[in-house]
């Protein structure tokens, strides 16, 4: 299992300088991936813009959106162009983790109904793939295709239908930020549906967790998660907030044993001192092993 670190793009007040520091130090510390999350009605930075900044500060680390919500983005071809630009500018290092988006405020402000988001998501995904295959053309000629297999696409999903979609329409699954039991159940579904579809290879499965280490780790993590997730979702996330060394190492091992290919640890603050703290806990040998390309 490869281990990555999230960028503090969803920490209120995050700056481009901070994103650059986290990207540079995260790559130097040996993390295999850099992740960025997505909210619309929240004090956060857009994940594609965030990862573009990270691309300019790094040279080898994979860049992953965990996840980019496309359910309420009106024109999929605009999104396709943004993703293709990031993939090209990063030298093919971008992996598109995509989701429908679960925040009612984001849909309300976009004047889109959540009840039809599943069908709209599948339609948008097909249009993204068309653009990346080079099937768009106009008076100036065709839009260049991306190299085959770029970008790799992973789909988020918490219910069986979403996990099946990840197995049949994408390259793998992004699991929720809590519950190893849910990860195990999802792995069974995604592997079964992948095999049922007679697809070659196997699906890539990426898990995420939130972490905070050092002084007042519990208070900082709980305050951030309560603000980000709100009273309805916070109780599900709270047990898996990683705020001490023993819990972090145990949860990392449990996720690896469950069969995930990747784990991205998302920060609860923008303090860059969290990067060496996390690297020290994980150990250079573990990070070195996890940084090997899949």
């Amino acid at each position: 299992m490869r281990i990555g670190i999230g960028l503090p793009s969803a920490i209120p007040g995050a700056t481009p300088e901070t994103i650059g520091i986290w990207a540079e130090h995260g790559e130097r510390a040996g993390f295999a991936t850099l992740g960025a999350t997505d909210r619309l009605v929240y004090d956060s930075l857009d994940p594609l813009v965030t990862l573009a900044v990270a691309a300019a500060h790094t040279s080898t680390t994979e860049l992953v959106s965990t996840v980019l919500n496309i359910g309420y983005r009106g024109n999929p071809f605009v999104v396709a162009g943004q993703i293709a630009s990031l993939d090209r500018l990063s030298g093919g290092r971008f992996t598109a983790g995509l989701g429908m988006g679960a925040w009612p405020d984001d849909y309300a402000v976009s004047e889109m109904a959540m009840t039809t988001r599943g069908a709209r998501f599948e339609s948008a995904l097909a249009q993204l793939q068309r653009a990346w295959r080079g099937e768009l053309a106009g008076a100036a000629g065709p839009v260049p295709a991306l190299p085959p297999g770029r970008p790799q696409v992973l789909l988020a999903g918490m219910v069986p239908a979403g996990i099946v979609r990840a197995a049949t329409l994408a390259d793998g699954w992004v699991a929720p930020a809590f519950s190893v039991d849910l990860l195990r159940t999802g792995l069974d579904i995604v592997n079964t549906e992948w095999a049922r579809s007679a697809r070659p290879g196997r699906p890539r499965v990426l898990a995420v967790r939130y972490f905070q280490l050092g002084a007042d780790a519990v208070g900082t993590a709980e305050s951030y998660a309560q603000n980000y997730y709100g009273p309805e979702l916070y109780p599900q996330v709270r047990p898996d907030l990683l705020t001490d060394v023993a819990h972090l190492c145990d949860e990392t091992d449990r996720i690896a044993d469950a069969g995930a290919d990747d784990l991205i640890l998302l920060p609860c603050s923008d303090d860059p001192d969290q990067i060496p703290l996390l690297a020290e806990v994980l150990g250079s040998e573990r990070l070195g092993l996890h940084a090997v390309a899949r």
Side-chain angles (χ1 to χ4, degrees):
M1 187 178 75
R2 304 162 73 232
I3 298 182
I5 191 168
L7 299 167
S9 56
I11 304 299
T15 66
E17 292 79 13
T18 302
I19 297 300
I21 290 170
W22 273 72
E24 289 180 10
H25 291 193
E27 180 171 80
R28 191 178 306 137
F31 289 100
T33 53
L34 297 172
T37 60
D38 191 14
R39 286 283 294 275
L40 185 58
V41 186
Y42 191 78
D43 182 3
S44 61
L45 302 174
D46 180 87
L48 296 180
V49 175
T50 297
L51 292 171
V53 172
H57 286 267
T58 58
S59 59
T60 60
T61 307
E62 182 184 19
L63 310 170
V64 185
S65 53
T66 53
V67 292
L68 176 72
N69 296 321
I70 63 172
Y72 46 75
R73 297 174 188 261
N75 187 335
F77 294 118
V78 173
V79 181
Q82 293 169 332
I83 289 174
S85 296
L86 177 54
D87 182 78
R88 291 167 61 187
L89 291 172
S90 66
R93 291 188 286 136
F94 178 58
T95 292
L98 305 177
M100 288 187 289
W103 307 101
D105 286 348
D106 293 348
Y107 274 87
V109 76
S110 303
E111 299 183 347
M112 290 188 177
M114 293 187 72
T115 53
T116 58
R117 57 183 176 157
R120 193 163 57 244
F121 180 78
E122 292 188 10
S123 174
L125 184 62
Q127 291 171 315
L128 294 175
Q129 300 284 6
R130 277 189 59 205
W132 298 332
R133 288 194 299 264
E135 296 177 7
L136 302 185
V143 176
L146 290 176
R150 282 174 43 186
Q152 186 178 64
V153 175
L154 310 176
L155 301 185
M158 191 164 65
V159 300
I163 302 171
V164 169
R165 187 182 288 115
T168 55
L169 299 179
D171 301 303
W173 175 48
V174 180
F178 57 89
S179 179
V180 171
D181 288 340
L182 182 55
L183 172 63
R184 293 193 183 100
T185 300
L187 272 159
D188 288 341
I189 295 172
V190 75
N191 284 321
T192 297
E193 294 300 323
W194 188 280
R196 194 193 310 276
S197 299
R199 301 188 63 182
R202 63 184 183 86
R204 180 180 179 182
V205 175
L206 186 152
V208 297
R209 289 292 186 273
Y210 288 89
F211 83 97
Q212 180 72 25
L213 299 170
D216 195 27
V218 174
T220 300
E222 290 183 345
S223 176
Y224 172 72
Q226 284 177 322
N227 183 55
Y228 188 85
Y229 281 99
E232 292 186 6
L233 293 177
Y234 173 70
Q236 297 181 70
V237 177
R238 171 63 188 90
D240 290 330
L241 294 177
L242 307 179
T243 56
D244 65 72
V245 171
H247 189 189
L248 191 150
C249 292
D250 179 64
E251 187 73 356
T252 299
D253 290 342
R254 293 175 70 210
I255 290 169
D257 291 344
D261 298 290
D262 298 83
L263 169 63
I264 295 182
L265 296 165
L266 303 171
C268 295
S269 78
D270 63 358
D271 180 2
D273 288 342
Q274 289 294 306
I275 303 168
L277 285 173
L278 181 61
E280 182 178 3
V281 168
L282 295 171
S284 59
E285 182 178 355
R286 170 178 275 180
L287 282 178
L289 290 173
H290 296 332
V292 175
R294 188 170 178 270

